[in-house]
Amino acid sequence: MKEQLEKIYSDAASDIEKAVTVKDLEDIKFKYLGRKGEFNEIKKKLKDLSDEDKRIIGSRANEITKQLESAISEKFQIFYEQELNKKLEKERIDITLPGQYIPRGSVHPLTSTTNEIVAIFQNLGFSVAPNEESPEVETEYFNFDMLNVPKDHPARDMQDTFYTNIAKNVVLRSQTSGAQVHVMENQKPPIRIIAPGRVYRNENINSRKNNFFHQIEGLYVDKNITFGDLKGVLNEFIRLYFGAVRPTRFRSSFFPFTEPSAEVDVQCIMCEGKGCRTCSGTGWLEILGAGMVDPNVLRGVGIDPDVYSGFAFGMGIERLAMLKYAIDDIRLFFNNDLRFLEQFKK
Ligand code: DAH
């Protein structure tokens, strides 16, 4: 039995010697030291021996088991490290390689201009009307009728307004002013809102006109609102937007939904009033339309014009951005030419 034991020992030792993978070692461990392994078979037979032999062979068996276990685990450790090193070598990262260039986008200048204008009016106490009160696809009711635009007004012509074939009187809105009607139908005064958004007009496209552009509408309705409030708010807006007090001019004008109406000019920021190409030699740049809400409009939405009054304004966002950044062609906003857009990276 002793010889048998030593034979197993030398077989196992030579198997361990020959092992080249972790898997080989696992197989060896199973074959010799496992529950049904060769050593256990021997140990089971110990009980048939004399006490003396039991002691000698038993202790030799334990000794061999320990030696094999430690030989296996030593070799296991070596294989483990070798495999780890191989893996590390394969996954090595060269930190000196230049990084991959990921182009970074930026906010579109019309978006940042809109955000800037919205923030100014929010600071003046206006809030942005909910989207559903400022839809781009409108009925004539909101875009014209309730704004006191006569049935035969030229702005309604197919040449100016895009009619859809959803229904006879469904249009792509030609102005954000319809938001005024939505808001006044849904809220009671005091009302102080702005509504930014896209508008559409059937225009021949050139450097100053596109067939869609963006406006911001404003509306303030309360008791005792006067033209003085309108001037104060708009002058303050101009000061904050252009970064300095600039001479302004309120020119008498006409809009069906305001009475009196005005167009507001700001002194040309290119020539400071001397007259240049940007201002067509006049020294002034028109930036918005405004006025006191017409009593007919208030009555239409059930607000008593003897109790309440209000002012409204609408401004073109492209125009304001073009003036601030000296952009001479409105089409640049819509071409998605990166050479243009990248100039607005912050
Ligand atoms: N909706 C006008 C336009 O598109 C601009 C405008 C003028 C808006 C006067 C107003 C206003 O709210 O009071 O030309």
Side-chain angles (χ1 to χ4, degrees):
M1 197 160 182
K2 177 121 195 312
E3 289 82 65
Q4 209 187 341
L5 192 62
E6 294 303 335
K7 167 106 179 31
I8 296 171
Y9 177 37
S10 72
D11 286 352
S14 98
D15 280 356
I16 293 171
E17 186 66 34
K18 279 185 263 164
V20 288
T21 64
V22 168
K23 172 86 172 50
D24 292 345
L25 291 174
E26 278 164 356
D27 290 345
I28 292 165
K29 202 167 173 183
F30 181 79
K31 178 174 174 206
Y32 295 101
L33 304 171
R35 206 156 49 83
K36 290 186 177 156
E38 298 194 15
F39 272 97
N40 261 351
E41 293 308 315
I42 294 228
K43 282 179 186 164
K44 275 183 210 156
K45 288 182 199 146
L46 282 176
K47 63 179 187 317
D48 305 330
L49 299 178
S50 67
D51 281 356
E52 174 71 0
D53 285 349
K54 225 187 260 176
R55 196 178 51 76
I56 296 170
I57 298 192
S59 92
R60 178 66 185 144
N62 285 339
E63 206 177 274
I64 289 173
T65 312
K66 264 200 206 113
Q67 268 170 20
L68 288 179
E69 271 170 355
S70 85
I72 288 173
S73 85
E74 220 168 85
K75 210 151 181 193
F76 186 87
Q77 187 63 27
I78 292 168
F79 288 167
Y80 176 78
E81 274 168 26
Q82 277 173 355
E83 272 169 36
L84 186 67
N85 284 341
K86 242 191 257 163
K87 204 169 150 199
L88 287 177
E89 189 61 35
K90 216 168 55 193
E91 291 173 5
R92 185 198 205 101
I93 294 168
D94 182 352
I95 57 166
T96 65
L97 276 178
Q100 212 178 352
Y101 173 68
I102 300 169
R104 196 162 49 87
S106 59
V107 178
H108 192 281
L110 283 181
T111 306
S112 61
T113 302
T114 306
N115 292 345
E116 196 183 340
I117 297 170
V118 165
I120 290 173
F121 281 107
Q122 282 175 328
N123 285 334
L124 292 172
F126 289 75
S127 35
V128 178
N131 277 339
E132 59 273 21
E133 292 183 0
S134 179
E136 283 180 33
V137 181
E138 270 291 19
T139 53
E140 286 188 83
Y141 173 89
F142 289 104
N143 197 66
F144 296 126
D145 298 346
M146 296 299 282
L147 290 167
N148 202 32
V149 180
K151 285 282 181 214
D152 57 357
H153 195 283
R156 295 197 188 218
D157 281 0
M158 299 270 287
Q159 289 91 345
D160 288 307
T161 302
F162 285 114
Y163 284 76
T164 71
N165 52 17
I166 299 170
K168 211 174 107 254
N169 53 2
V170 176
V171 300
L172 300 184
R173 68 173 170 191
S174 62
Q175 51 186 358
T176 45
S177 303
Q180 290 187 37
V181 180
H182 284 280
V183 169
M184 287 191 285
E185 283 190 349
N186 292 337
Q187 300 178 33
K188 295 265 150 293
I191 292 169
R192 198 157 49 196
I193 59 96
I194 47 172
R198 183 173 290 186
V199 303
Y200 301 82
R201 286 184 201 176
N202 197 351
E203 303 271 16
N204 288 324
I205 298 170
N206 58 37
S207 66
R208 320 191 81 213
K209 283 181 171 169
N210 194 45
N211 51 15
F212 66 85
F213 57 99
H214 299 78
Q215 292 185 327
I216 291 192
E217 193 75 16
L219 175 70
Y220 188 1
V221 181
D222 202 351
K223 290 175 179 156
N224 303 316
I225 300 299
T226 68
F227 203 90
D229 296 314
L230 168 63
K231 278 189 88 168
V233 166
L234 291 179
N235 279 336
E236 181 64 356
F237 162 73
I238 288 162
R239 181 180 79 83
L240 292 168
Y241 180 74
F242 289 105
V245 179
R246 302 204 65 86
T248 53
R249 186 167 81 165
F250 285 65
R251 250 185 314 107
S252 167
S253 183
F254 175 80
F255 298 102
F257 34 91
T258 45
E259 182 59 35
S261 304
E263 277 170 305
V264 180
D265 299 341
V266 59
Q267 190 187 62
C268 181
I269 53 169
M270 302 295 170
C271 62
E272 306 213 313
K274 288 185 209 64
C276 66
R277 218 169 58 103
T278 305
C279 59
S280 318
T282 64
W284 295 94
L285 299 163
E286 183 202 319
I287 59 161
L288 59 88
M292 302 306 291
V293 182
D294 195 289
N296 272 344
V297 174
L298 293 176
R299 263 193 293 276
V301 293
I303 294 175
D304 185 349
D306 292 328
V307 180
Y308 292 101
S309 56
F311 68 73
F313 57 86
M315 53 183 96
I317 297 173
E318 283 79 358
R319 183 154 179 84
L320 283 164
M322 287 167 84
L323 292 177
K324 184 151 168 173
Y325 300 111
I327 296 164
D328 60 5
D329 193 325
I330 195 172
R331 292 168 292 195
L332 287 166
F333 290 117
F334 309 115
N335 295 341
N336 288 331
D337 185 333
L338 289 179
R339 291 168 303 177
F340 171 73
L341 296 174
E342 278 176 346
Q343 295 178 51
F344 298 90
K345 266 188 188 166
K346 286 265 154 59

